[in-house]
Amino acid sequence: IPAKFIAFTAISNITVNPGVAVTVQSSATDPDSPPLPLTFSLVNPPPTATINPTTGLFTWQPGNSDANTTNLITIKAQNNAASALSTTSSFTVSVNPIGPPVMSHASLSNATFGFQIDGDSGLNYFIQSSTNLMDWNTIDSTNPLSVPFQWLDTNAPDDGARFYRVL
């Protein structure tokens, strides 16, 4: 009797920026005739990673703390036979390091100050202001759909200096 094995379709390795969602559809086939339903699970996944046990849809959104890491993702497929068959398939998700945001193209017109922000996509950007370069207040936060993007301060003071930074 030839050995039976669950066949897993290979999954390519992925590279993303922090904050960008990873979605991967697992695909495996059972060798029994008729094929038995398969259940999918994760083996030692990152803390916020999930998989749909029925469809095999893997999802994970790496955060800033995952920046500059390579994460081995192992998916297990198993049938529900009396002598259950199972197999695993692995791939890596490499999360790029976070680059510093860059401010450029500053402009002031009719009490509206603005500048362009460039950096990594998928991140939250925090715009801070200060009048003395010591005490900083967050005046806005955004997760833009694309970078670079233009940011405007429609309440820019006209009676003194205000400094800005982006985190």
Side-chain angles (χ1 to χ4, degrees):
I1 297 174
K4 294 184 196 179
F5 299 99
I6 292 174
F8 228 121
T9 302
I11 300 171
S12 298
N13 296 331
I14 300 169
T15 301
V16 297
N17 288 332
V20 175
V22 175
T23 304
V24 174
Q25 181 61 61
S26 305
S27 179
T29 54
D30 184 79
D32 291 321
S33 184
L36 296 171
L38 296 175
T39 302
F40 295 90
S41 60
L42 295 171
V43 179
N44 298 319
T48 58
T50 62
I51 193 163
N52 182 302
T54 305
T55 66
L57 182 65
F58 168 82
T59 57
W60 180 44
Q61 184 168 354
N64 290 354
S65 62
D66 299 304
N68 205 28
T69 63
T70 298
N71 304 270
L72 180 65
I73 308 298
T74 301
I75 299 173
K76 179 180 178 181
Q78 180 173 332
N79 69 14
N80 62 355
S83 56
L85 293 176
S86 69
T87 191
T88 60
S89 180
S90 298
F91 63 100
T92 60
V93 177
S94 298
V95 185
N96 290 323
I98 298 173
V102 176
M103 298 166 51
S104 63
H105 301 92
S107 64
L108 176 63
S109 175
N110 298 325
T112 298
F113 177 75
F115 48 86
Q116 181 174 292
I117 300 171
D118 199 0
D120 295 329
S121 61
L123 298 178
N124 292 323
Y125 288 86
F126 298 91
I127 294 89
Q128 296 185 330
S129 70
S130 174
T131 57
N132 59 16
L133 295 175
M134 301 271 298
D135 303 308
W136 292 91
N137 296 310
T138 299
I139 58 174
D140 195 10
S141 65
T142 183
N143 186 323
L145 295 175
S146 62
V147 289
F149 64 98
Q150 190 70 24
W151 182 83
L152 298 174
D153 185 354
T154 57
N155 297 314
D158 56 6
D159 60 350
R162 182 183 272 184
F163 303 95
Y164 297 86
R165 71 181 181 187
V166 179
L167 304 174

